[in-house]
Each structure stands twice: as C-alpha cells, then as structure tokens.
Amino acid sequence: MNITCNKEALQKYIVNANRITGKHLSLPILNSVFIGTNNKKIIIRATNLEVGVEFHLPAQIKEDGSIALPGALIANALLNIPEKEVTLITKDGICKITTKTKTITIKGFFVDDFPTIPIINDGESFTLSSSSFIQGVRSVVASAALSDIKPEISSVYLYQSTDSIIFVSTDSFRLAEKKIKQNNPSLSHGVIVPLKNIIEIAHILDIEQGNINFLVSKNQISCSMESTYITSRVVNSVYPDYEQILPKTNTTEIIMLKNDLMNTIKLSTLFFDKFNKITLIVNPAQKKCSISTKNTEIGETESIIPATLTGEPIEIALNGKHIFDCLSVIEKDSIVVQLNSADKPAVIRGLGDLSFTYLTMPITR
C-alpha cells in the first residue's frame, strides 16, 4: 500500500476508530485499526465485537493494500505530526509514515484475522440529524443502569410515536424520556441499544454533520452517513412498560429557576449521606420551598429557594444526584417539579417543554 492524504482527516478518523478498539490481551488484533484502500479511498475500520465502525476518506492512492496497526500507537503518532500531509507505505507487515520532516515505522498485523464489520441490508429504517440523535442520547444516558445484570435497562430504548423518535432509559430508580420530532418514522417494534455502545456511537457521530440513516434488524442497528458506517449489537428483550408509572396528575407543582436549584444541590452535595438524600419541603400557603440535607458525621444545610408554588403542602425525600443529573440536560432556564405524595415519584420538566420528562423515585428508607 502506498497512499498520501490529509493528516488532519486521517487523524480524526483514526482517533475515533481507536475509541472502540477492544482491550484484549488474548486477541491483540482487536486493539488495532484496519487501514486499507477501496475505490480510490482509504478505508479505516475498528471493532470491539460489540460496535464496529468504518470510515472512508479521499486520498492519492499509488498502490492498493491493507494493514492493521495498533490503534493507540498510530493515533498518538499522528497527533504529534505537525505537517498537513502524510504518506503511508506498507510492506511485509510494516507501515512507514513519512512527512517532510518525520519518518515513523510501525509494526502491524496482517489483516487476514481482522474481524469483519456486519453490513445490514434489511430491516426498519428511520433518519435523524446527527445533532438530534446526539441530543436524544445525551438527554437520557445518565438514567440507564450501569450494571449488566438486566441488559434491557443497561441500555437506551428507541421507539416511534406518531411524529417523534423517543429515547428512554431507566435504572428502576429514575427514568428519562426525550422526544425528537421526526416526520413519518418507521420503527414499529423499537430497538434497545446497550448503554456503552450508544455512548460510543454518539461520540463518533459528534464529529459529523448531516442526516444519519438508521437501519434496524433483529440483532443489529446500523448508522450510515456519507463517510461513516457504524453497527452495534442490540438487546433482544422486551423493554419495561414504563408509561404506566408516569403520573397523569399532580397535587403540588413548583416552578423555579434551574440555576437556583442547581446551586442549592451543589451545596447539598457537601452534606450528602450514602443515599445522596435531600429533603424537599413545599408549603404553598406559606409560600415556602426549602431543601435540606443532613449527614450525621459532617453536618447539615438548609436552603430557601424562590419559587411559584401551587397545590398541597408536601415533604419528600429525593436523591439529589439524580436531580442534578436531570438539570444538566434541561435546556430551559426555568423548571417545573410535579409531586403527588411522599411515596410517589417526582416529575421534572423544563417549563413549557413537553419533549423531555424526568421521573425520580422518592427515598423511603
């Protein structure tokens, strides 16, 4: 192989391919990035057997060929090359990278053992802009379970409504739902994407702009753009029927500035107990809304928050970290907190924004 290309483009794609390379001692080929040629373009591939990615970029190709190079090594090497153009020449499992001032030689792997990237040809399809997909993922990922004991909730669930693609995640203690407007989606049965996989997909697509074409089969989901193709395993399971736990009414409603609540919780974190417990006390008749936190070994704090209050008085214990995670993805300056009783979940939304719903269970112990 003998190719010359733009260094920044090559570096961008190799750095992102290296994100998903596997850290396998027994299969070192999974720690590598495939570099080859096809139809006058460079092909860059990587996989960890859960997620596979392929990038295409234009180049001057003098001789076709392919090689697999250690992902971290070539990514870091390119980061330290100042020139705008690089030449890669491979022979007998060795890759020589040259510029006007530098020569780097890297021992690679023959590509016979490099895993193939699955290509999905049939299934249900839908299209989202890269910015909309990333917004949907980032709005809900903090609420997914970190443990793989129940794979269906250590994931993000995507399904369609009449005019939206809906992103959902839950860890059984909290739930986040984000609706992204989309005309005529076609995703009748929904798809469950493992948490780690969808986070990596969002990171990779963050470098692209434009529409993503999604194709969903029984075992895989693929994401295609002009220069990028990604595929991921999906979870073959049934997602919990979460809509039945979303409160349809409320007895108490609080409207406050998001930053007021964020600053209060930042102070509260200094006094969190092992449950990250905060106590929210609301008394509309007295026009009082307060948050207190107590740690028997450290101390305690209480803050009065300016708010518009309606409904019944209530005192409820909530997980402060869960609330803070929610606030960081709400785009509105003001939020609405809806409550029913001390043993029922709290619902949080941006004021006037029904596209995002966050539910957090009370602490009852």
Side-chain angles (χ1 to χ4, degrees):
M1 181 173 67
N2 186 332
I3 57 177
T4 300
C5 66
N6 178 273
K7 192 272 296 191
E8 289 187 0
L10 181 65
Q11 171 190 314
K12 177 179 74 170
Y13 288 130
I14 286 182
V15 167
N16 276 277
N18 183 56
R19 289 187 60 90
I20 64 165
T21 54
K23 303 302 183 282
H24 288 266
L25 296 177
S26 58
L27 291 173
I29 192 73
L30 292 180
N31 302 331
S32 65
V33 171
F34 171 98
I35 302 173
T37 58
N38 187 30
N39 294 328
K40 299 181 180 180
K41 290 184 178 181
I42 299 176
I43 309 298
I44 297 170
R45 296 189 188 118
T47 182
N48 57 15
L49 303 182
E50 285 273 329
V51 179
V53 63
E54 178 173 300
F55 300 112
H56 296 180
L57 69 153
Q60 301 173 28
I61 299 176
K62 298 178 182 177
E63 182 180 348
D64 288 324
S66 60
I67 194 170
L69 298 175
L73 179 58
I74 187 170
N76 285 313
L78 290 170
L79 285 170
N80 289 285
I81 292 177
E83 284 91 348
K84 294 183 179 180
E85 191 173 79
V86 293
T87 296
L88 280 68
I89 300 173
T90 63
K91 186 176 180 180
D92 298 329
I94 302 293
C95 179
K96 182 175 287 187
I97 305 171
T98 60
T99 69
K100 290 181 179 179
T101 62
K102 299 185 185 302
T103 300
I104 302 168
T105 301
I106 300 176
K107 292 183 178 180
F109 302 91
F110 293 105
V111 298
D112 294 348
D113 295 329
F114 196 89
T116 57
I117 305 295
I119 302 297
I120 303 175
N121 296 312
D122 298 310
E124 294 190 322
S125 63
F126 64 97
T127 302
L128 284 178
S129 68
S130 58
S131 58
S132 293
F133 174 76
I134 291 165
Q135 181 187 30
V137 172
R138 289 179 176 172
S139 295
V140 304
V141 289
S143 298
L146 298 178
S147 169
D148 293 331
I149 294 175
K150 294 182 177 180
E152 66 274 14
I153 65 171
S154 181
S155 302
V156 173
Y157 179 48
L158 283 73
Y159 72 100
Q160 76 170 60
S161 67
T162 305
D163 61 349
S164 301
I165 294 291
I166 301 178
F167 295 70
V168 183
S169 70
T170 182
D171 60 5
S172 299
F173 300 101
R174 53 178 167 170
L175 179 144
E177 177 194 74
K178 179 66 177 179
K179 298 178 180 178
I180 301 293
K181 290 288 186 181
Q182 176 66 19
N183 293 328
N184 302 317
S186 177
L187 190 60
S188 60
H189 57 75
V191 59
I192 305 172
V193 185
L195 177 64
K196 294 177 182 178
N197 296 13
I198 204 166
I199 289 173
E200 293 302 337
I201 291 170
H203 276 301
I204 292 167
L205 292 176
D206 202 15
I207 68 172
E208 305 285 359
Q209 292 184 345
N211 288 332
I212 310 167
N213 298 313
F214 293 88
L215 193 60
V216 180
S217 68
K218 180 180 179 181
N219 299 308
Q220 298 279 325
I221 182 172
S222 70
C223 321
S224 303
M225 300 185 74
E226 183 178 359
S227 301
T228 303
Y229 179 83
I230 308 171
T231 183
S232 166
R233 176 183 67 86
V234 300
V235 177
N236 289 317
S237 184
V238 177
Y239 202 76
D241 184 12
Y242 73 92
E243 290 183 296
Q244 65 179 342
I245 67 169
L246 293 175
K248 303 298 188 291
T249 60
N250 66 85
T251 59
T252 305
E253 184 174 273
I254 311 163
I255 300 175
M256 66 180 76
L257 290 175
K258 179 179 70 174
N259 282 342
D260 285 348
L261 183 54
M262 290 185 78
N263 290 335
T264 297
I265 294 179
K266 284 180 182 178
L267 173 62
S268 297
T269 59
L270 302 175
F271 301 92
F272 275 173
D273 61 13
K274 63 180 180 179
F275 301 113
N276 303 320
K277 179 181 174 181
I278 64 171
T279 301
L280 173 63
I281 301 175
V282 181
N283 192 321
Q286 297 179 4
K287 298 181 179 180
K288 181 181 179 182
C289 177
S290 69
I291 287 179
S292 59
T293 312
K294 183 176 182 179
N295 186 315
T296 56
E297 297 180 358
I298 300 174
E300 58 188 285
T301 180
E302 180 180 8
S303 300
I304 305 296
I305 303 178
T308 300
L309 311 173
T310 55
E312 302 297 323
I314 189 171
E315 179 176 332
I316 185 171
L318 298 168
N319 186 309
K321 182 182 182 304
H322 288 180
I323 296 175
F324 192 82
D325 289 344
C326 153
L327 298 176
S328 65
V329 299
I330 290 179
E331 298 177 346
K332 296 291 186 178
D333 292 332
S334 297
I335 63 165
V336 180
V337 181
Q338 296 175 332
L339 306 167
N340 280 289
S341 66
D343 59 352
K344 293 184 178 179
V347 175
I348 305 174
R349 295 186 177 95
L351 181 62
D353 180 12
L354 297 179
S355 72
F356 179 73
T357 300
Y358 189 86
L359 179 148
T360 181
M361 300 301 292
I363 297 174
T364 55
R365 50 192 133 186

